[in-house]
Amino acid sequence: MSPARRRAFAAAIALACCVACRFAQARPPTLYGTPAFESPVHGGPDDLLLLAGTGFTAGDTVAYRRARSDAPPAPLAVVSYANIPYSLTVRLPAALRRHHGYWLWVRNRRGQRSNAVPINDARPLWFAPSVLYTSADPGRTGRTLRLVGRNLRASAGGGERIRLVGPRTLTLNARAAGRPANSTDDYVAVVTVPRLPAGRYRVAYSRNGGTWVMVAAERLEVRADPPARPRFVVGSTALGGCRPNDGRDDTRCLTAAIRAAAAAGGGEVVLGAGTWDLRDSTGGTVAAGDGILMPPRVSLVGAGRRVTRLIRHEQWSSGGGNFTFTLAGANLVTGIRFEDAHRFAPGDAPRPWFQLGVHPGTHPAGAVADVVVTNNVFDAVYEAIVDSGAPLVRLIVTHNRFAAYYVDLELPGNRFLVNQPYRIDDSIIADNVFDPSGYLDVPRQTGVIASEIGASHRLVFSGNVADGASRRFLAAPTDPGGWRAAFFWNLNGNQEELLVADNTARCTGDKIGDGEAFAYDNNGNTFGFNGTRTVLDAKSSTVTLPGPLLDRQSGRPVDVGTYYVGHWLQIVRGPGLGQARKIRAYRRDRRSGRITFTVAPAWDVVPTAGRSEAVIGREFWQAYTIGNLVDNRRPPCAKSNRGRPKAGVIALWAQTTDSVVAGNRQYDSDGILLQHAFFAAAPGCPGCEPSTFLQYFNEIRANTIDGEYRWDSACSLSGIEASYAASPTPAAPPPILGYGLSIAHNTIIRADGDRGGAIDFLPTWYAGPDRARGALINNALIDHNVLRSIDGPPPADACGYHQSARIGIKLDGPRRVSNTVLYANRCEQVSEPLQDHGRGTVKVCRGAAAADRCDCAGASNFPAARPGDSETASAASAPR
């Protein structure tokens, strides 16, 4: 090519680039607007609010208008442009009303307006149960229907309604007149459903009886009342003539009754009042590994848990897993006290009472549906209810008293069944009481746990009490009380649409270990890649990434062509930052190695080739931890943790997005912990396995943390802590691990975290390679928190921890904690209000009464205010 032609070609390319640049600049800003997926949700008077999306510039203005109003729009104060082009932070006006809907939008200097997004609008998302009967209530739920979502409280403190539309249309009041509002009302609306004709019903919600919002994703199924089933009395002559209270083996009579009920197409196997004994497991339908198999539609019914006892004796064994019963589905278990004659000790083999679904090694394992376990006592058993790894559907566990030796509800799934997805769908675990056993194994650093749950999709976990102060079921007066941990969730499947509300966890650290009250753990999670992948192409509902996908999980080979369907794909850098979408399908191009994923719902901002990065994993999504009580005060607790001074944490120690921890009360606890982490297998990082702990668009709001386990020990950590860590290998730089976090309206009293900080952002390991790009935690909002009595001398060094001061808010991590916005946090008797080692922190202080403001105290020592730091600087020229 001649020099002249080369110059002409270069000029043409430059012109094309200029045109493309101007076209890109001419595009209006875009806000995330899909409900439940990273879009703005709510805001109260004077609150900070993150508006995420793309295309924002330093000259943008924001306006709002009340929904269904013809009034002209009013300006909002943009208090931070620090994270452009991906987000703006605004301050809502003091006149805004908390439970009224509003629309917001952004306008740039060219006069282009973004899409409008709502806040404070009612957002019903799902309900439970998904199945009711015309009038029957086998699960003893009180025929209660819980509607779960966001912004469900009416502005006047009443008037909420739920409408059922089907064979009959029925409108029900969701909150009794005069009942005071509580912390769950924004998230849960509850009604008692009267008798209804059978059929399928749509469910709608209204805060005022005028505007109705339909729950689009599901239907309520009302089934005809189950027919009266024949009764097969274990003590009848026809079934062997067994009698209670005689000390003889009753296994053969019990299994004969089960066979007769199965032959009749279903029935109730009835144990009358008295004590029944299981001694000989060699006959009947006892199967190796599965115990007594309860076929579908066969129930086990006692005369009441106070009068009917079923005792498993030392010599009774089914072989293999030592299960007593296996429930195949459509089973009811009620009115019985289950006991073990054996007194368990550390190291004993597991001996569960009920297995949900057959063991996968003995039978094909399909979904186990419609099991109800209600109004029983499990006294001195090893484990009460365990899963087989099979999916569970419509499991109801209510009004039981659990006192298992090892764990009461063991439903974590089996991580080694890699090609059988684990799920717990449309289920209720409510109003149970968990009493601790004396199990404590100091060498193994473990003890008794109330529950472990490995997956959920529309699961209600509500009204349960893990009473570690109870000594009612301890085997001996000298047995140690309390818990190793109370309620634990892990990721052998996704945890989606999970409600954990109005539970109590008491004395959770009196045994040993971390003593978690509510723990959401990454254990069992599986990830598609080692590190991040740069986007090659994307459309409205697809994204193409370079392969290959990981072909082994938990040490087992997986079907790479289907395994990652149902996992979540998240954008962790570049345009589309923070969006999480569920993988519905994917196809692999074996020649190029490219993988194109189809996701749902569609992207709000389509990721950009060459600039956006993504990861794949399982997720806690729309998980609400609401209105729970955590109490570790002495008395009644002993504060006798044999490991470290720890108890009562609410821990988001897992990949979590669009979730809430709100309205909880914690006393003498470890507070609230959010773990951000990234690990990639690479030379120089022995033991690192591919994993991410992303915290995106989560809200920590209106919690009370009053006291910690040991105020005088640096080993005792509390407050609200956002810890972060990333493997140090340059070949796999970490992505953004935390984005869109809101910490607002919490009260923290005499509780602080690692190295100080009632609100504490800090590294706990490597923070990535020395030259890693940018932030690990980006654009967190911290506003309207009250920090009280964080003063006095620092605690004594302990277990490798050192703390030099009592601090209100601590941002620890140059280059790693960026663009945090602080506003209206109040410090009362706090030794050092703020330590800010972050980058680009915005302190909204101008014009503030700074006497007790954590973020403004000593403001002259902070960088001078710049455009965007004050409300007034950015409120002009509001879009209309």
Side-chain angles (χ1 to χ4, degrees):
M1 182 182 293
S2 68
R5 293 187 66 181
R6 282 198 298 267
R7 286 193 298 271
F9 181 75
I13 292 296
L15 178 62
C17 291
C18 183
V19 170
C21 180
R22 289 180 179 177
F23 178 77
Q25 291 176 347
R27 292 177 179 175
T30 302
L31 291 166
Y32 295 162
T34 302
F37 291 85
E38 299 83 58
S39 64
V41 178
H42 70 90
D46 201 44
D47 281 356
L48 297 182
L49 182 68
L50 182 73
L51 300 178
T54 195
F56 307 120
T57 67
D60 290 351
T61 55
V62 180
Y64 78 105
R65 181 164 56 196
R66 186 167 169 176
R68 298 180 301 280
S69 170
D70 294 328
L76 285 178
V78 180
V79 298
S80 175
Y81 292 98
N83 197 46
I84 57 172
Y86 301 124
S87 64
L88 303 172
T89 301
V90 301
R91 172 187 168 272
L92 298 174
L96 182 137
R97 301 183 67 178
R98 174 72 179 83
H99 302 290
H100 287 270
Y102 295 85
W103 289 93
L104 296 82
W105 59 90
V106 177
R107 189 185 296 271
N108 63 22
R109 287 179 174 176
R110 300 173 62 92
Q112 295 170 307
R113 200 178 97 166
S114 74
N115 55 309
V117 295
I119 62 169
N120 295 349
D121 54 314
R123 301 186 187 184
L125 187 59
W126 60 280
F127 56 81
S130 61
V131 171
L132 288 171
Y133 290 96
T134 294
S135 61
D137 185 19
R140 300 182 74 242
T141 65
R143 296 183 60 80
T144 294
L145 184 72
R146 291 179 176 89
L147 182 61
V148 184
R150 301 296 300 272
N151 305 330
L152 300 184
R153 186 187 301 179
S155 59
E160 303 95 330
R161 295 171 176 85
I162 291 176
R163 177 173 290 168
L164 308 179
V165 181
R168 176 186 170 193
T169 297
L170 184 67
T171 301
L172 303 167
N173 291 327
R175 185 149 68 93
R179 182 174 71 80
N182 62 45
S183 58
T184 63
D185 286 344
D186 270 346
Y187 306 90
V188 187
V190 180
V191 294
T192 300
V193 179
R195 183 183 181 92
L196 276 180
R200 291 173 62 80
Y201 290 78
R202 292 179 296 163
V203 178
Y205 174 78
S206 174
R207 292 192 300 202
N208 55 22
T211 302
W212 291 88
V213 183
M214 196 68 67
V215 181
E218 58 177 326
R219 298 288 186 270
L220 173 66
E221 180 184 355
V222 177
R223 297 175 178 174
D225 286 345
R229 300 283 186 186
R231 293 165 59 87
F232 299 89
V233 179
V234 173
S236 67
T237 302
L239 297 174
C242 295
R243 294 287 181 268
N245 305 319
D246 60 7
R248 297 180 179 180
D249 179 54
D250 298 309
T251 305
R252 290 184 178 272
C253 294
L254 179 60
T255 56
I258 292 170
R259 288 196 302 272
E268 293 184 354
V269 174
V270 179
L271 290 168
T275 299
W276 303 84
D277 301 278
L278 299 178
R279 295 180 181 275
D280 182 5
S281 62
T282 59
T285 57
V286 179
D290 290 319
I292 300 172
L293 182 61
M294 298 286 292
R297 297 174 297 281
V298 174
S299 298
L300 187 61
V301 178
R305 68 187 198 179
R306 295 180 183 274
V307 296
T308 297
R309 300 170 70 213
L310 185 59
I311 300 179
R312 179 173 61 179
H313 290 268
E314 184 75 43
Q315 63 271 38
W316 200 96
S317 173
S318 66
N322 285 332
F323 302 104
T324 309
F325 293 95
T326 288
L327 304 177
N331 310 112
L332 169 66
V333 178
T334 187
I336 301 172
R337 185 185 193 92
F338 299 96
E339 298 182 22
D340 266 290
H342 178 77
R343 291 299 174 225
F344 295 103
D348 280 353
R351 299 182 69 184
W353 266 84
F354 287 96
Q355 177 184 225
L356 301 176
V358 295
H359 191 274
T362 58
H363 301 279
V368 180
D370 298 305
V371 168
V372 177
V373 182
T374 185
N375 197 33
N376 303 285
V377 174
F378 293 87
D379 179 4
V381 304
Y382 188 86
E383 294 165 306
I385 303 172
V386 304
D387 73 83
S388 63
L392 307 175
V393 181
R394 294 184 297 277
L395 172 67
I396 296 179
V397 180
T398 58
H399 301 287
N400 300 284
R401 188 141 202 167
F402 292 102
Y405 177 74
Y406 180 71
V407 62
D408 297 296
L409 293 180
E410 179 80 330
L411 308 175
N414 186 337
R415 66 185 301 167
F416 300 113
L417 297 177
V418 293
N419 291 310
Q420 177 176 292
Y422 183 59
R423 299 172 61 97
I424 302 177
D425 290 344
D426 297 310
S427 296
I428 297 173
I429 300 171
D431 302 313
N432 303 284
V433 175
F434 298 82
D435 293 83
S437 74
Y439 171 50
L440 172 64
D441 190 334
V442 174
R444 292 183 175 87
Q445 295 281 297
T446 191
V448 61
I449 296 176
S451 69
E452 296 184 277
I453 298 173
S456 63
H457 180 220
R458 298 193 292 257
L459 170 65
V460 169
F461 191 93
S462 178
N464 301 288
V465 177
D467 187 5
S470 170
R471 301 188 64 84
R472 178 176 176 179
F473 290 90
L474 299 183
T478 55
D479 276 356
W483 300 101
R484 148 67 182 86
F487 305 122
F488 188 92
W489 283 262
N490 64 289
L491 282 170
N492 276 328
N494 289 314
Q495 299 271 4
E496 301 168 356
E497 297 176 338
L498 169 65
L499 175 67
V500 180
D502 299 319
N503 303 283
T504 297
R506 188 175 289 119
C507 310
T508 63
D510 276 9
K511 285 283 200 296
I512 201 166
D514 291 339
E516 301 100 325
F518 300 90
Y520 305 97
D521 198 89
N522 237 18
N523 186 284
N525 203 345
T526 53
F527 303 92
F529 301 115
N530 180 35
T532 67
R533 289 292 185 271
T534 300
V535 171
L536 301 175
D537 190 21
K539 300 293 189 296
S540 63
S541 297
T542 66
V543 63
T544 300
L545 304 174
L549 289 164
L550 296 179
D551 60 3
R552 294 183 68 84
Q553 298 291 351
S554 301
R556 270 63 169 176
V558 301
D559 180 356
V560 179
T562 61
Y563 180 80
Y564 296 99
V565 173
H567 280 62
W568 288 75
L569 190 149
Q570 290 181 272
I571 305 303
V572 295
R573 194 181 299 280
L577 172 64
Q579 291 177 110
R581 296 295 187 266
K582 199 166 183 180
I583 297 170
R584 299 301 186 188
Y586 58 93
R587 65 180 186 276
R588 295 178 295 153
D589 186 324
R590 297 182 184 277
R591 184 171 58 181
S592 68
R594 293 157 62 107
I595 309 164
T596 299
F597 297 88
T598 300
V599 300
W603 302 108
D604 285 314
V605 171
V606 176
T608 300
R611 296 176 58 200
S612 302
E613 296 179 22
V615 299
I616 290 173
R618 293 185 178 133
E619 197 81 41
F620 282 90
W621 175 76
Q622 292 293 341
Y624 301 162
T625 306
I626 309 296
N628 301 286
L629 171 64
V630 178
D631 195 351
N632 295 288
R633 290 172 291 189
R634 181 171 56 190
C637 305
K639 289 196 176 181
S640 52
N641 194 314
R642 278 78 170 172
R644 291 185 172 189
K646 297 181 69 62
V649 71
I650 298 174
L652 276 61
W653 194 267
Q655 198 134 283
T656 309
T657 192
D658 296 313
S659 296
V660 179
V661 179
N664 303 284
R665 294 164 293 144
Q666 297 174 273
Y667 298 98
D668 288 15
S669 78
D670 292 351
I672 299 169
L673 171 62
L674 300 92
Q675 168 71 339
H676 306 72
F678 170 83
F679 305 98
C685 191
C688 289
E689 296 184 357
S691 59
T692 51
F693 295 65
L694 305 179
Q695 303 285 344
Y696 281 3
F697 293 91
N698 297 320
E699 183 177 17
I700 313 299
R701 185 179 184 88
N703 302 281
T704 297
I705 302 170
D706 189 348
E708 63 180 70
Y709 193 103
R710 279 194 61 183
W711 179 246
D712 60 352
S713 170
C715 193
S716 176
L717 311 178
S718 188
I720 297 174
E721 182 173 305
S723 60
Y724 59 91
S727 51
T729 51
I736 293 173
L737 304 179
Y739 183 46
L741 171 65
S742 173
I743 300 175
H745 295 276
N746 302 281
T747 299
I748 304 174
I749 304 168
R750 201 170 173 80
D752 56 8
D754 186 356
R755 286 166 275 174
I759 297 175
D760 208 359
F761 285 54
L762 77 160
T764 54
W765 192 56
Y766 293 102
D770 288 340
R771 297 184 179 181
R773 296 175 292 171
L776 296 181
I777 300 178
N778 188 28
N779 211 167
L781 311 184
I782 305 175
D783 66 288
H784 292 92
N785 300 284
V786 177
L787 314 179
R788 184 178 300 143
S789 301
I790 318 294
D791 61 350
D797 292 357
C799 60
Y801 289 92
H802 171 74
Q803 182 176 329
S804 59
R806 303 288 191 183
I807 305 162
I809 299 172
K810 182 173 183 176
L811 306 180
D812 191 353
R815 300 182 296 116
R816 294 295 186 257
V817 180
S818 294
N819 305 329
T820 308
V821 184
L822 305 176
Y823 174 57
N825 299 287
R826 193 166 80 240
C827 280
E828 302 172 359
Q829 292 181 279
V830 176
S831 295
E832 188 173 347
L834 174 67
Q835 278 192 8
D836 178 18
H837 302 291
R839 183 178 65 179
T841 304
V842 175
K843 308 173 185 74
V844 185
C845 298
R846 192 174 299 173
D852 61 353
R853 289 275 295 275
C854 310
D855 31 275
C856 298
S860 59
N861 298 324
F862 300 149
R866 61 182 186 274
D869 282 354
S870 82
E871 295 100 87
T872 56
S874 56
S877 304
R880 290 184 178 272

